[in-house]
Amino acid sequence: TDTVDWLATQGITASRSPVMPDLARLEPGAFGAWPAEVRAAVAIQDEGSALVAAVVQARPGDRVLDLCASPGGKSVRLWRAMHHT
């Protein structure tokens, strides 16, 4: 099941990003009203950061230096791409 479908089972409305279908779009401010267990199960990320990770097209064996990294989705997406997870 994908994120949008899973959120629907939790009573939360989200839409798919037209740019990256694996991302869910939320209404501004919606996240704060979610139950704590649902907030803990997802990672909130700017769509632009996810797009950067997709454009880089990192592969196993690559090395990526992200000069604008923080504990966030872009770095996680790049790591996953380089480690096939």
Side-chain angles (χ1 to χ4, degrees):
T1 186
D2 72 4
T3 304
V4 172
D5 293 338
W6 181 81
L7 288 170
T9 69
Q10 305 302 309
I12 297 167
T13 302
S15 61
R16 284 180 182 76
S17 163
V19 178
M20 295 186 66
D22 66 323
L23 298 180
R25 280 190 171 174
L26 308 172
E27 290 298 318
F31 183 72
W34 295 1
E37 60 273 8
V38 176
R39 288 194 316 262
V42 299
I44 299 298
Q45 174 184 23
D46 179 87
E47 191 172 20
S49 293
L51 185 57
V52 168
V55 169
V56 169
Q57 296 184 354
R59 307 268 189 256
D62 286 353
R63 291 180 149 194
V64 175
L65 175 59
D66 184 353
L67 296 175
C68 190
S70 65
K74 180 176 35 142
S75 299
V76 171
R77 281 179 172 270
L78 289 168
W79 184 91
R80 285 181 179 159
M82 291 185 292
H83 293 87
H84 274 308
T85 60

